[in-house]
Amino acid sequence: MDEKNVFSQMDFGPLSEFLEDDDVTDISYSNGGQVWLKTLSRGVYQVERPDINNPFMEKLAFQCANVMGRTFNMAHPFLDSESAELRMNFVHDSIATNGIACLIRKTPAKIRLNKDKLISEQYITDQMHDFLIKCVWGHCNIMVAGETGSGKTELVKYLASNTKEDEKIISIEDTLELHLDKIFPHRDIVAMKTNNIASYTESLVACMRQNPIWILLAEVRSAEAVMAVRNSISSGHHIISTIHADKASSIPMRMYALLEGSQDIEQYLSSIHRYIQIGIYVKGYYSKALGRFQREIMEICEFYVDDDTNKPKSNILYSKTLDGRVTLHNPTKKLIDYLAIGNIYFPTDDIFGLGDADYKEDLSNLRDSSKDNLAMKETNANLLNQALNQDSDDAQQNAGAQPVLNQASNGANPPLQSAVTNQQVKQNIQVQPNVAQTSQQQVTQSQNNQVSNGQVQANAFPQVGGQNTNQVVNQQPMQVNAFPSVAVPNSGQVPVQQNVVPQQVVATNDVL
């Protein structure tokens, strides 16, 4: 560990091997002894380390609290701490009921990406890589979207490293991750960190007075950050930032969703499409076809406002599927003209060599992703079949469940099964507020013979304010008539082939 690191005073013990491994990005501890690693090559996997347990992690948390001058106990169950290249978060076992929880994220002051690595690992095609770099040279405002751990921050660092040497950069973060001031100590870079004293808005005001060319905002995840982005780009500065979104084309709508208030959606989307030129979507997943954890750009989108309709539009320049199939579209004249203002010129408007076609497919990185897709399909199919089978079994059990007449207390008569099901009773007797109306029906002689004078099931009667429980009433045998008849003496038996004239019967809580 670096001696300048405030955590150099701490004893990380068996965690040291993971902290020294450049391939490891995150270390997660939870559930009374489980250690999970997130790496660049293998993704997320579990390791067995018996010496990393709750007592060890509690000791580490207390060391961290002492170094940071904070308290970690039941009264203060959360502990956040960070240094130049390390960020730690602890949750006390009074909150994490299955044991203390900890996440250690490494934020090294170096750029892991380079062009050769990006091309060889199929992160992006060579042609689109060069186009993105020209967009940075031409001062395009760029938003990078993706899931947690997909590599958004690493891509921002790589794009920022391609800015010109004489262009001042100011980064505004709530958690230090970029470290551009340490990566390029010779450049004019200011690293700002927001806290409960200096908010995004206040930091942005101070930032603009510093006259930067580039403003690198941390992840946009609040209304304040969204307004900071819009204020930055509307004032003529250029930004590169990150956001959580499921695709590049949905970035403006995602920013609008984070806003608080009732701002007009069309007006806001138009302003975002006018000031943000490029949206990028990055995906990270474990690829069985490649045998490694794969990070790659899946979509690059251009945003603009149509001059004729004054409506926000998007143009997907680059899209990639899991099998490596790439589809290219040429940028619009608006983006080409914007880059020309920044002295970035192209020999022709047909930048990607589409000719007269609307799009072009690049199959140079085509790979067999059937293993990945089939694994997903089989998993989903198995879960679906299990759910369907479970539902089918439940339906059969419910349909086949019939009221069972308990054996009389003297044991003389064996229990009989009534052929009258709950469904038939519900069809015959409909319960309304304080009124039960019987419908016209016919009952066969065989059903008449199967109804006995013993105990009957409780749900054979109209229920008021409750539900049928399908449970046999364990009370003294009593003789009842489940089907009220008209002009027929209540003999305890169901009338045979007797047409029942509809009438209203007042339902009470008492048994008929």
Side-chain angles (χ1 to χ4, degrees):
M1 301 292 293
D2 186 2
E3 291 183 358
K4 295 181 180 180
N5 191 335
V6 295
F7 296 138
S8 60
Q9 308 173 33
M10 297 174 53
D11 180 16
F12 287 93
L15 291 175
S16 299
E17 60 172 306
F18 306 131
L19 297 176
E20 296 171 358
D21 188 352
D22 292 337
D23 190 47
V24 177
T25 60
D26 295 81
I27 305 169
S28 176
Y29 176 87
S30 62
N31 205 16
Q34 291 189 9
V35 180
W36 292 81
L37 302 180
K38 187 171 187 179
T39 62
L40 298 173
S41 59
R42 295 178 54 187
V44 180
Y45 62 94
Q46 185 179 5
V47 295
E48 295 293 338
R49 290 295 187 275
D51 47 349
I52 303 179
N53 47 36
N54 283 350
F56 170 77
M57 296 306 298
E58 291 173 359
K59 179 181 178 181
L60 185 66
F62 291 137
Q63 291 185 59
C64 179
N66 292 334
V67 170
M68 301 301 296
R70 299 177 184 174
T71 304
F72 183 65
N73 50 30
M74 295 180 62
H76 302 84
F78 304 109
L79 177 62
D80 282 307
S81 57
E82 62 179 308
S83 66
E85 298 186 0
L86 208 60
R87 189 176 70 193
M88 294 194 294
N89 174 267
F90 293 91
V91 180
H92 197 266
D93 54 11
S94 62
I95 301 297
T97 57
N98 59 341
I100 185 173
C102 173
L103 178 68
I104 302 176
R105 166 164 286 190
K106 297 163 60 177
T107 57
K110 62 181 178 181
I111 299 177
R112 294 190 176 106
L113 303 179
N114 56 71
K115 182 177 180 179
D116 293 338
K117 179 182 177 67
L118 295 178
I119 302 303
S120 62
E121 294 184 356
Q122 302 180 18
Y123 188 94
I124 193 174
T125 61
D126 190 0
Q127 187 179 34
M128 184 53 68
H129 171 273
D130 294 342
F131 178 77
L132 279 182
I133 299 304
K134 289 183 178 180
C135 287
V136 175
W137 293 347
H139 296 157
C140 286
N141 296 306
I142 301 174
M143 292 290 295
V144 180
E147 301 172 353
T148 301
S150 58
K152 302 185 297 296
T153 303
E154 288 298 326
L155 179 58
V156 168
K157 290 165 66 175
Y158 177 71
L159 294 176
S161 67
N162 285 275
T163 57
K164 298 178 182 178
E165 291 283 335
D166 58 347
E167 294 179 345
K168 183 174 184 177
I169 298 176
I170 295 182
S171 63
I172 303 177
E173 304 174 86
D174 54 358
T175 301
L176 298 178
E177 291 183 335
L178 295 175
H179 304 302
L180 293 177
D181 55 322
K182 297 179 176 60
I183 299 174
F184 305 105
H186 59 283
R187 292 190 56 177
D188 187 4
I189 297 177
V190 179
M192 293 186 178
K193 183 178 182 299
T194 61
N195 51 34
N196 55 355
I197 299 176
S199 63
Y200 263 110
T201 304
E202 295 171 336
S203 300
L204 184 61
V205 172
C207 171
M208 292 180 179
R209 293 173 180 171
Q210 293 284 325
N211 193 26
I213 302 297
W214 288 96
I215 299 177
L216 305 185
L217 293 170
E219 184 175 334
V220 178
R221 52 174 173 258
S222 65
E224 185 182 22
V226 172
M227 296 305 298
V229 169
R230 195 178 71 166
N231 293 338
S232 300
I233 54 183
S234 61
S235 60
H237 299 84
H238 310 293
I239 68 156
I240 303 177
S241 185
T242 65
I243 192 173
H244 282 277
D246 57 353
K247 54 184 178 180
S249 56
S250 64
I251 289 176
M253 197 63 193
R254 171 60 177 162
M255 295 177 65
Y256 178 80
L258 292 173
L259 278 180
E260 298 175 356
S262 57
Q263 187 169 354
D264 182 72
I265 181 173
E266 186 173 350
Q267 180 182 1
Y268 178 81
L269 293 179
S270 296
S271 65
I272 293 298
H273 280 72
R274 182 173 286 108
Y275 292 120
I276 295 181
Q277 285 75 41
I278 298 294
I280 304 174
Y281 174 64
V282 185
K283 184 178 181 63
Y285 64 98
Y286 183 82
S287 173
K288 291 186 177 181
L290 298 175
R292 66 171 186 267
F293 188 80
Q294 176 72 357
R295 289 183 174 93
E296 54 190 350
I297 295 178
M298 305 300 293
E299 188 177 271
I300 300 176
C301 185
E302 169 197 357
F303 303 111
Y304 66 99
V305 176
D306 186 79
D307 291 333
D308 298 331
T309 63
N310 199 29
K311 299 291 185 180
K313 300 287 185 180
S314 60
N315 175 33
I316 299 179
L317 305 175
Y318 173 96
S319 62
K320 185 177 183 180
T321 58
L322 291 179
D323 60 358
R325 187 185 303 272
V326 173
T327 303
L328 298 173
H329 294 82
N330 277 325
T332 64
K333 191 71 167 58
K334 280 186 167 296
L335 181 58
I336 295 176
D337 293 342
Y338 182 89
L339 293 174
I341 297 175
N343 295 322
I344 302 298
Y345 301 97
F346 298 93
T348 175
D349 291 347
D350 187 11
I351 298 176
F352 299 135
L354 272 61
D356 295 333
D358 294 333
Y359 66 92
K360 181 181 74 173
E361 288 190 346
D362 185 354
L363 306 179
S364 58
N365 291 329
L366 192 64
R367 58 179 182 262
D368 182 14
S369 65
S370 59
K371 295 181 180 179
D372 297 329
N373 295 335
L374 285 177
M376 295 171 59
K377 291 179 180 178
E378 289 176 358
T379 302
N380 295 335
N382 291 335
L383 294 176
L384 180 60
N385 290 333
Q386 292 176 7
L388 292 177
N389 292 336
Q390 182 66 29
D391 293 341
S392 178
D393 294 342
D394 294 342
Q396 292 178 2
Q397 292 177 2
N398 294 333
Q402 298 179 350
V404 180
L405 302 179
N406 284 350
Q407 186 176 359
S409 58
N410 56 9
N413 297 325
L416 299 177
Q417 291 185 351
S418 173
V420 183
T421 63
N422 295 336
Q423 184 176 1
Q424 292 172 328
V425 174
K426 291 177 181 179
Q427 293 175 353
N428 296 332
I429 302 177
Q430 298 179 353
V431 179
Q432 297 178 357
N434 297 328
V435 177
Q437 182 176 358
T438 59
S439 63
Q440 185 175 2
Q441 64 171 346
Q442 293 182 351
V443 182
T444 61
Q445 180 66 33
S446 60
Q447 291 174 333
N448 179 39
N449 296 333
Q450 290 181 0
V451 177
S452 68
N453 294 331
Q455 295 175 340
V456 297
Q457 192 172 352
N459 57 12
F461 303 98
Q463 302 290 326
V464 179
Q467 299 179 350
N468 294 337
T469 60
N470 292 331
Q471 296 179 357
V472 177
V473 178
N474 295 322
Q475 296 179 355
Q476 295 297 327
M478 56 185 175
Q479 184 173 351
V480 296
N481 183 9
F483 299 92
S485 59
V486 179
V488 177
N490 189 3
S491 60
Q493 297 182 351
V494 180
V496 180
Q497 302 294 337
Q498 177 69 35
N499 293 332
V500 181
V501 180
Q503 67 173 356
Q504 289 185 347
V505 179
V506 177
T508 67
N509 292 332
D510 299 330
V511 179
L512 294 177

